[in-house]
Amino acid sequence: MSGHGIFERLFAGRWIAGPDIDDAISVARRFNGKGVSAVFNYLGEDLKDKGMVEDAVQVYSELIKRIGSEGIVASISVKPTQLGASISYKTFLSNYTRIVKLAKKNGVFVWFDMESSGMIDTVIRAYRKDMKSKDTGICLQAYLTRSYEDAVGLCKKGAIIRLVKGAYNEPPDVAYQTKEAVTSNYVRIMEYLFRHSKRFMIATHDLGIIEHAHRLDKGHKGEVEYAMLNGIRNRYAVAMAKKGDRVAVYIPFGRAWLNYSYRRLKEAGHISLVLKSIFEDQGV
Ligand SMILES: Cc1cc2nc3c(=O)[nH]c(=O)nc-3n(C[C@H](O)[C@H](O)[C@H](O)COP(=O)(O)OP(=O)(O)OC[C@H]3O[C@@H](n4cnc5c(N)ncnc54)[C@H](O)[C@@H]3O)c2cc1C
């Protein structure tokens, strides 16, 4: 991140591995050394130019090959609008299929991030085509009122779900507007997953939710993975892994850091939390 502004160095540098694949891999190796796997995300979103979409596909392709050949314990997580979902469903599906095929060949699991609510049907439509393969997973956002039903419908077909609270600005006709309502819907969906899903990811830094998940996990026979974002509560993530949880850290890299950093700043809610996450020793 050298040569950039103070904002980028102070804030983005905490959350983002750096501009290149090498930066992401070096952060992942540190986590792998502590028993934590990586979920790589190449930054960039809402791409409307086919050339830029192709560039993103190329970066993911190289990344997939390197994960496979260098033995990194990692999956990738792709934003649908990086694969052309803002251009057309056809463009998205064609790039989706290319990435999933290559990942399968290299033994790399592919997550699909969830972006703004207008994109959900597009992502679910593509995901449903291939979800029986068990090589792909989809993110659902608990702030959306539709997500419980989506979870039920997808679970019945054997989907692998990553549950998050949600990071975009969504209006009251589609999303819960208070922290309490979002958390309560998160817990409701999570309890459903514990009852009905054999494999899913609990992606949150909310310690109340994680403690509740641990209680439910006791009698659960399936595979639960916990996940946090790079730079937030990572010492806790490492401690969870040490105690025997399956834990992953989501590691963004690339130059398009602004939108991602803005969302992290916004949800930190209070400057003291941001400063804490910047100066805290994250334990990796
Ligand atoms: C692995 C992973 C994948 C994700 N993928 C997606 C996705 O595809 N689509 C999507 O919309 N969202 C995604 N998110 C983001 C998610 O939706 C939330 O915006 C984010 O995780 C914060 O919510 P929370 O569950 O941690 O709960 P919150 O209630 O926001 O936070 C709980 C506590 O964690 C700490 N904390 C949270 N954020 C910060 C911060 N920035 N700085 C310092 N402390 C903080 C605070 O102590 C806070 O009280 C993902 C998150 C994770 C962990």
Side-chain angles (χ1 to χ4, degrees):
M1 299 255 150
S2 60
H4 295 277
I6 181 112
F7 177 88
E8 186 172 353
R9 266 182 281 125
L10 255 185
F11 295 91
R14 189 72 214 178
W15 300 317
I16 293 164
D20 304 318
I21 290 180
D22 282 340
D23 302 311
I25 286 188
S26 117
V27 174
R29 281 192 200 286
R30 290 211 305 274
F31 279 109
N32 283 180
K34 306 243 172 189
V36 173
S37 66
V39 181
F40 290 121
N41 171 256
Y42 176 54
L43 291 163
E45 51 199 270
D46 205 19
L47 304 182
K48 297 197 175 79
D49 175 274
K50 283 195 174 169
M52 287 173 81
V53 170
E54 184 55 31
D55 288 347
V57 171
Q58 290 307 324
V59 171
Y60 274 117
S61 303
E62 191 191 333
L63 179 63
I64 288 166
K65 288 179 197 152
R66 289 196 54 185
I67 294 171
S69 66
E70 296 181 30
I72 312 293
V73 186
S75 56
I76 61 167
S77 197
V78 186
K79 289 208 187 314
T81 62
Q82 285 185 300
L83 300 187
S86 308
I87 299 173
S88 70
Y89 179 69
K90 201 173 149 216
T91 308
F92 171 52
L93 187 63
S94 136
N95 290 317
Y96 178 111
T97 310
R98 283 168 71 196
I99 293 280
V100 169
K101 254 192 191 159
L102 183 69
K104 207 176 278 190
K105 205 172 134 198
N106 286 273
V108 176
F109 188 90
V110 183
W111 286 105
F112 286 91
D113 275 25
M114 201 54 92
E115 303 179 77
S116 58
S117 56
M119 214 39 94
I120 298 174
D121 288 326
T122 302
V123 186
I124 291 182
R125 189 174 159 202
Y127 179 69
R128 276 179 175 275
K129 282 186 176 295
D130 190 48
M131 66 189 194
K132 286 218 166 63
S133 71
K134 301 289 171 215
D135 300 310
T136 53
I138 189 168
C139 178
L140 291 183
Q141 300 151 315
Y143 65 9
L144 295 181
T145 51
R146 62 175 281 173
S147 288
Y148 183 84
E149 293 307 322
D150 282 336
V152 172
L154 285 164
C155 263
K156 282 190 178 143
K157 304 279 180 196
I160 299 172
I161 291 171
R162 176 175 90 212
L163 187 59
V164 303
K165 285 192 183 175
Y168 296 79
N169 284 324
E170 295 291 353
D173 56 324
V174 297
Y176 297 107
Q177 301 293 314
T178 64
K179 237 180 181 359
E180 294 71 29
V182 174
T183 300
S184 148
N185 199 42
Y186 192 112
V187 169
R188 181 168 171 245
I189 299 170
M190 179 172 85
E191 289 175 344
Y192 178 86
L193 293 175
F194 270 104
R195 285 196 304 274
H196 297 283
S197 172
K198 290 198 180 72
R199 181 176 173 191
F200 56 94
M201 178 180 264
I202 297 298
T204 183
H205 317 92
D206 185 324
L207 301 186
I209 291 179
I210 293 171
E211 278 165 24
H212 187 49
H214 277 145
R215 285 192 290 273
L216 298 172
D217 210 353
K218 285 208 171 99
H220 180 70
K221 293 207 171 65
E223 196 179 291
V224 185
E225 191 168 17
Y226 297 87
M228 298 194 184
L229 302 175
N230 184 41
I232 304 175
R233 297 225 152 119
N234 292 164
R235 187 180 273 282
Y236 195 85
V238 169
M240 283 170 69
K242 263 200 187 118
K243 283 189 188 151
D245 283 327
R246 287 168 62 91
V247 186
V249 167
Y250 183 101
I251 304 173
F253 71 98
R255 292 184 188 276
W257 52 272
L258 190 61
N259 285 339
Y260 182 87
S261 303
Y262 177 69
R263 287 195 288 273
R264 299 292 81 79
L265 267 179
K266 191 171 58 111
E267 72 205 4
H270 196 278
I271 191 68
S272 64
L273 262 184
V274 178
L275 293 174
K276 203 167 157 238
S277 88
I278 289 169
F279 296 113
E280 205 170 51
D281 170 12
Q282 296 279 341
V284 283

